Each structure stands twice: as C-alpha cells, then as structure tokens.
C-alpha cells in the first residue's frame, strides 16, 4: 500500500500514509512462546460490549482517554456530587455521539460514587421505554420503578399510598391485574404498567392522558413516598445519599412531538424543570442535537440549573493542523491491544502487536480510519475477525474499510458534500440542521483540545473519489 491522493485545504491534510507508524516494535523484546487467548479476545472485541467498572476483567480493558478528550468529565460529575453538593440534590447532563463510550464512563462514575459510600441506581431507559414515543410520565415512572426495585433488593420496603391509589384507578382501562396488598412490591406494579403500555401505543396514550394533569402529584409522590424514604433508610445504613443515573435518553427520537416541537426539545427543555425536581442526585444522558439547538441556553437553565451538559467527544487521531495526534493514536493502540493482552503493561502490549496484526502499520491504519470513534474502531476489528483469525492482515483490513466507506457514501447527496467541504474549511458545525446532517450521520466527528471544540470529517470519507474530486476542484477555484 502507498499513499492515498493528498491535498491540503485550510488546516486539514487530506490523505493518509497507510504504512506510516509512530511506534517501533523491538523484536528482541517479544515474549517467547506467548500465545493469544482467542476466545477471550473475540469476546472482548464485541463493539456492543459496555465495560463495567465494577468487573475486574472489564477494568483491565479500560483505557483512560481524558487527556485527549478535553478533561476528566466523569471526575467532574462525581466531584459535583461528593464534594460540592453531597447533601443537596443535583441534576447533571451528559451527552456525546452514540457509541463514543458514554455508558462505559457512566459505569466508572457509578463505581467511583459507590466507593464514596453513595448508593447508585443505574438503568438503561431504552429497556423500559420506547425511544420513538416517550413522554415525561414515562420517564418519571421508569425512575420510580428502578429506585423502588433497587431498594427492594436491599430489603427496604416502601409503602407508597399514592401509587396504590393510582394503580387502583388505572388497572381497569389497562386491563392488567395489579396486586394492591401491603406485601406487594411497588416495582412489580409499575413494571406491569410500563410493560403493558410499551407494547400498545393506544394504552400508552390512555395512560398519558390520565397522568398528564396529575404530573405534579406523581412528582410529589415519588419525592415523598419513594426518594425521601429511600434516602433516609440508606443513610441509616451508612450511605451518604442516592444517585440515579438514567442512561440511553440520548437515543430519544428526533421526530416532532404532538406539541410541534422536536421530542428532545419537548422533554428536556419544555419539561426540563419537572425532570430536575426529583429530590436526589440525577445524571441524565441527552441527545447531542440539543447542544446545537437555538434553545441551548434554556436547556442549560431549566434542566441543568445553569450548568452546561458535559460532552464526551471523539479521541483525536489528528490535530487541527492536520498533523497526527501522537497521544490520541497511542491511546487507541492501547485500547485495541488491551483487549488482547489485558494483563501486560502498555510497552509489553506493543511488543506483542505481531500476534494481533500483520504489522504495526496495520494497527495504525485501523486506528486512523476510525476517526477516534471507539465503537467504530472495535467494529472494524470485529469485522476483520469475522473474516479470519489474527494476525489481521493489511489486505483484510482494506477490504473491511472499503465496505465501511462505501456504506457511508451511499447516504450523502451533493448538498451534503458541500456542507462537508465547509467543515473541512472552517472546522465548525453550525446549528441543529447541520448537526442532523453531519454529526448524527457520523459524517463528521467532534473533538476537544486546549483551544476548545473543533470538528473533523470522518477519515473514511477523505479517501472517496468524490471527496478528492471536490477538493481538487475547490483548490483550483
């Protein structure tokens, strides 16, 4: 392999040296007789796998990217709870590209808070809720269910009178028997309701129409009958407080709601003050599109209490000026090699690269073409492993990259190519429309450095004939 066609537009170098590499493996340092545990390696490379910090094996796979992502985001979320406001409720917002590692970071936050004696309820909202059709009452009930379920697992029995009355009133039109006895578990009752309505849009609408005028009453009941009692009991057992982490709300569909607003704007801006009023520490994941909304300041004030959402960007593979980002590339190499050799030091992993890749250049090629999107990087590796066992050959990788690149190009029209050219020139994305076209579609990635945020085109698109022709034309003009 040689060089891809190259040109220079503004600060961006278009074109990649497929063979160049910034690290050298010293043959005499390789482990004699060392073998790769293929079964464990295959399992660790699954791109859908979330690393759970409480699991020792998962911790050995984890790589800290904070040095190249603009700061210690998880530590900032945790410090707000443990140091700044341990005894007063907080509401913090977290966002980023889907697949950039938010859930893994939230599990790290959970482990850190638990080490500080906070009880943490983490749940994936997408398991209980339909992300294409969701309302404020759905989120409140999901939180009530998850907290009560967590308390019941600890042997803490809640006696919520309001919810018993609520169940009694709605069980008829839901046509679902709900046990109202003192011994009944609240989480099971709510679970029956959410399961029934998730599968039936008609019942979901009926429940929402019933609950909407009662939203304030539901909020008070959750605070008084669930959260207050849970926190009192937790503190009596030595815990410092309760934290609820609501993951996957960033997957809420961008369609318009019945109010005419986009669903994310309706939920997190129009109804943000209600989501904030739950009396415990809260961490919500949000759609990244809201950061590009004209009402970003409203979001920050209504739901964030004046504090901006924390953004998890990509890991940079190159700098603003087009030069390779040495530190980002080094960390991405370690992310891949740690999946193969979690028990070894970073230098020892590099010495064992040939067990996983045909050459160091092949590993670097994979890291660069991913653009620093960690799930994409694992996806490229996983696709290669579907073709053949390691070591991954350059030929196999190029075949996988071609498929990835061709799939991306299918979704881009001429107007979007022009938008991409503007991003290359300006390294900016402006407004929600450009976000929906460029970032949501993974055509452009967001990065952070000492100067702030900047945007770069997906490296796979740089190698397309359309991209090369477009920029050769612009260079002439």
């Amino acid at each position: 392999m040689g060089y891809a066609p190259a040109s220079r537009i503004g600060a961006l170098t278009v074109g990649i040296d497929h063979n160049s590499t910034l690290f050298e493996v010293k043959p005499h340092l390789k482990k004699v007789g060392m073998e790769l545990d293929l079964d464990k390696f295959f399992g660790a490379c699954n791109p859908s796998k979330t690393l759970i910090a409480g699991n020792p094996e998962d911790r050995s796979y984890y790589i800290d990217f904070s040095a190249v992502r603009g700061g210690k985001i998880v530590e900032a979320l945790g410090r707000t709870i443990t140091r700044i406001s341990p005894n007063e409720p907080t509401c913090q917002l977290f966002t980023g590209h889907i697949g950039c590692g938010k859930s893994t970071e939230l599990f790290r936050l959970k482990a850190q808070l638990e080490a500080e004696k906070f009880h943490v309820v983490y749940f994936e909202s997408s398991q209980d809720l339909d992300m294409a059709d969701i309302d404020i009452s759905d989120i409140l009930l999901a939180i009530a269910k998850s907290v009560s379920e967590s308390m019941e697992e600890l042997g803490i029995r809640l006696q919520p009178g309001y919810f018993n009355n609520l169940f009694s009133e709605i069980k008829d039109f839901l046509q679902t028997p709900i046990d109202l006895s003192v011994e009944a578990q609240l989480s099971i009752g709510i679970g029956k309701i959410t399961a029934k309505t998730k599968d039936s849009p008609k019942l979901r609408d009926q429940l929402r129409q019933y609950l909407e005028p009662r939203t304030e009453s539901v909020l008070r009941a959750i605070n008084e009958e669930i959260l207050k009692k849970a926190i009192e009991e937790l503190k009596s057992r030595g815990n410092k407080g309760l934290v609820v982490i609501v993951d996957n709300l960033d997957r809420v569909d961008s369609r318009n709601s019945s109010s005419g607003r986009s669903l994310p704007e309706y939920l997190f801006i129009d109804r943000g003050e209600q989501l904030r009023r739950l009396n415990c520490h809260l961490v919500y994941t949000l759609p990244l599109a809201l950061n590009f909304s004209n009402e970003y300041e409203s979001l920050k004030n209504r739901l964030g209490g004046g504090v901006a959402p924390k953004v998890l960007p990509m890991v940079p593979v190159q700098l603003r000026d087009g030069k390779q980002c040495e530190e980002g590339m080094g960390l991405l190499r370690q992310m891949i090699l740690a999946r193969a050799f979690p028990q070894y030091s970073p230098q020892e992993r590099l010495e064992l690269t040939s067990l996983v890749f045909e050459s160091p250049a092949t590993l670097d090629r994979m890291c660069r073409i991913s653009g620093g999107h960690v799930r994409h990087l694992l996806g490229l590796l996983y696709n290669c492993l579907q073709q053949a066992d390691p070591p991954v050959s350059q030929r196999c990788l190029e075949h996988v990259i071609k498929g990835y690149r061709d799939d991306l190009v299918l979704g881009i029209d001429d107007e979007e190519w022009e938008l991409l050219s503007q991003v290359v020139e300006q390294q900016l994305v402006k407004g929600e429309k450009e976000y929906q076209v460029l970032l949501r579609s993974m055509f452009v990635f967001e990065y952070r450095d000492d100067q702030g945020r900047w945007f770069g085109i997906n490296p796979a698109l740089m190698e397309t004939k359309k991209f090369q022709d477009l920029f050769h034309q612009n260079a002439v003009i």
Side-chain angles (χ1 to χ4, degrees):
M1 299 296 295
Y3 286 84
S7 60
R8 188 169 180 81
I9 308 297
L12 177 71
T13 298
V14 180
I16 300 171
D17 176 1
H18 297 174
N19 289 323
S20 67
T21 182
L22 288 177
F23 69 96
E24 179 182 357
V25 178
K26 300 177 181 179
H28 66 279
L29 292 178
K30 291 182 182 178
K31 302 290 180 182
V32 177
M34 175 66 192
E35 292 184 359
L36 176 62
D37 186 333
L38 288 180
D39 288 342
K40 290 188 70 174
F41 181 54
F42 292 157
C45 292
N46 188 334
S48 66
K49 176 181 173 64
T50 296
L51 298 183
I52 299 176
N55 182 325
E57 184 176 41
D58 282 2
R59 281 201 305 272
S60 68
Y61 298 137
Y62 179 77
I63 302 297
D64 184 1
F65 293 113
S66 60
V68 294
R69 275 180 156 169
K72 293 185 175 293
I73 296 170
V74 163
E75 285 73 12
L77 293 171
R79 179 178 169 81
T80 300
I81 294 169
T82 62
R83 297 283 291 167
I84 298 176
S85 184
N87 298 312
E88 294 294 327
T90 62
C91 182
Q92 300 185 82
L93 315 179
F94 188 41
T95 188
H97 275 300
I98 289 177
C100 68
K102 292 187 300 300
S103 295
T104 291
E105 294 301 317
L106 289 175
F107 273 110
R108 279 187 64 227
L109 174 62
K110 180 177 184 290
Q112 291 175 12
L113 291 171
E114 288 172 343
E116 293 284 340
K117 302 298 184 183
F118 282 83
H119 181 78
V120 181
V121 177
Y122 167 94
F123 72 98
E124 296 177 346
S125 55
S126 55
Q127 291 190 349
D128 288 330
L129 307 176
D130 181 350
M131 294 292 106
D133 183 16
I134 185 174
D135 208 333
I136 184 76
S137 58
D138 304 322
I139 298 174
L140 294 177
L141 285 179
I143 292 172
K145 171 181 175 288
S146 296
V147 173
S148 57
E149 190 173 56
S150 182
M151 294 304 103
E152 289 156 6
E153 288 173 357
L154 295 176
I156 298 174
R157 302 304 292 266
L158 305 172
Q159 297 180 346
Y162 177 86
F163 282 96
N164 280 343
N165 293 333
L166 188 69
F167 294 162
S168 180
E169 292 170 4
I170 66 178
K171 68 175 182 178
D172 292 333
F173 72 75
L174 287 180
Q175 298 181 336
T176 300
I178 302 174
D179 190 349
L180 304 177
S181 67
V182 176
E183 294 79 17
Q185 293 183 337
L186 175 61
S187 64
I188 294 177
I190 298 177
K192 287 183 177 180
I193 294 171
T194 55
K196 187 84 173 181
T197 57
K198 185 177 181 181
D199 296 332
S200 171
K202 181 180 178 181
L203 288 179
R204 194 156 57 231
D205 286 343
Q206 283 184 277
L207 180 62
R208 287 171 184 166
Q209 290 173 17
Y210 178 82
L211 291 178
E212 177 59 31
R214 297 167 175 79
T215 302
E216 290 297 318
S217 299
V218 172
L219 263 172
R220 282 196 300 272
I222 293 174
N223 281 330
E224 292 297 318
E225 298 184 358
I226 298 177
L227 298 179
K228 182 180 178 181
K229 293 180 179 179
I231 291 170
E232 288 173 353
E233 185 64 32
L234 288 169
K235 287 188 173 182
S236 73
R237 298 183 178 200
N239 290 106
K240 294 181 181 178
L242 172 65
V243 182
V244 177
I245 299 175
V246 189
D247 200 359
N248 289 356
L249 283 178
D250 56 313
R251 301 180 185 182
V252 168
D253 196 88
S254 59
R255 69 171 181 81
N256 284 344
S257 66
S258 57
S259 67
R261 304 260 279 166
S262 75
L263 191 54
E265 286 178 331
Y266 165 72
L267 289 173
F268 304 117
I269 298 175
D270 297 351
R271 309 300 294 269
E273 290 178 346
Q274 291 178 317
L275 287 177
R276 180 178 174 79
R277 279 170 41 205
L278 294 169
N279 290 334
C280 65
H281 296 292
L282 296 161
V283 178
Y284 290 114
T285 54
L286 302 181
L288 184 59
L290 291 172
N291 275 32
F292 297 84
S293 168
N294 289 335
E295 296 195 62
Y296 173 72
E297 288 297 320
S298 296
L299 168 74
K300 187 170 75 172
N301 289 310
R302 293 183 188 177
L303 184 55
V307 180
K310 298 287 189 297
V311 179
L312 190 68
M314 298 301 149
V315 178
V317 295
Q318 68 176 28
L319 306 173
R320 288 177 187 256
D321 61 6
K323 295 179 181 177
Q324 182 162 279
C325 179
E326 311 262 0
E327 190 172 9
M329 284 290 293
L331 291 171
L332 289 171
R333 293 184 197 112
Q334 290 297 324
M335 190 193 89
I336 293 296
L337 294 174
R339 305 292 169 122
F341 312 112
Q343 69 273 36
Y344 288 100
S345 71
Q347 181 55 42
E348 288 173 325
R349 292 169 187 158
L350 293 177
E351 294 161 11
L352 295 166
T353 300
S354 63
L355 295 179
V356 186
F357 292 91
E358 181 179 74
S359 70
T362 306
L363 171 57
D364 272 12
R365 170 75 165 137
M366 182 179 286
C367 291
R368 284 194 204 95
I369 205 70
S370 75
H373 187 293
V374 294
R375 185 179 291 173
H376 281 181
L377 178 54
L378 286 173
L380 290 168
L381 175 59
Y382 200 75
N383 282 335
C384 288
L385 296 176
Q386 288 180 316
Q387 309 296 322
D389 286 352
V392 175
S393 70
Q394 188 81 21
R395 182 177 181 179
C396 177
L397 175 59
E398 294 304 329
H399 175 75
V400 168
I401 289 173
K402 181 180 182 297
Y404 169 51
R405 184 172 59 234
D406 290 349
D407 289 344
L408 273 176
V409 171
L410 284 175
I412 308 177
D413 59 28
D414 288 341
E415 182 181 350
E416 290 163 351
W417 278 115
E418 288 299 324
L419 284 176
L420 286 169
S421 72
Q422 293 174 29
V423 173
V424 172
E425 292 280 4
Q426 304 170 13
Q427 297 184 329
L428 292 173
V429 171
K430 297 165 291 191
E432 188 172 357
K433 180 181 178 182
E434 287 193 15
Y435 162 79
Q436 295 291 352
V437 171
L438 301 177
L439 276 87
R440 187 177 177 87
S441 302
M442 301 292 182
F443 301 155
V444 168
F445 294 148
E446 178 177 351
Y447 303 94
R448 297 292 174 97
D449 60 17
D450 292 342
Q451 299 175 53
R453 69 160 53 96
W454 66 280
F455 298 87
I457 186 173
N458 187 322
L461 294 177
M462 295 183 195
E463 300 182 5
T464 61
K465 185 178 186 302
K466 177 72 174 180
F467 183 87
Q468 298 294 335
D469 290 347
L470 181 64
F471 283 102
H472 284 150
Q473 177 184 342
N474 287 351
V476 172
I477 294 172

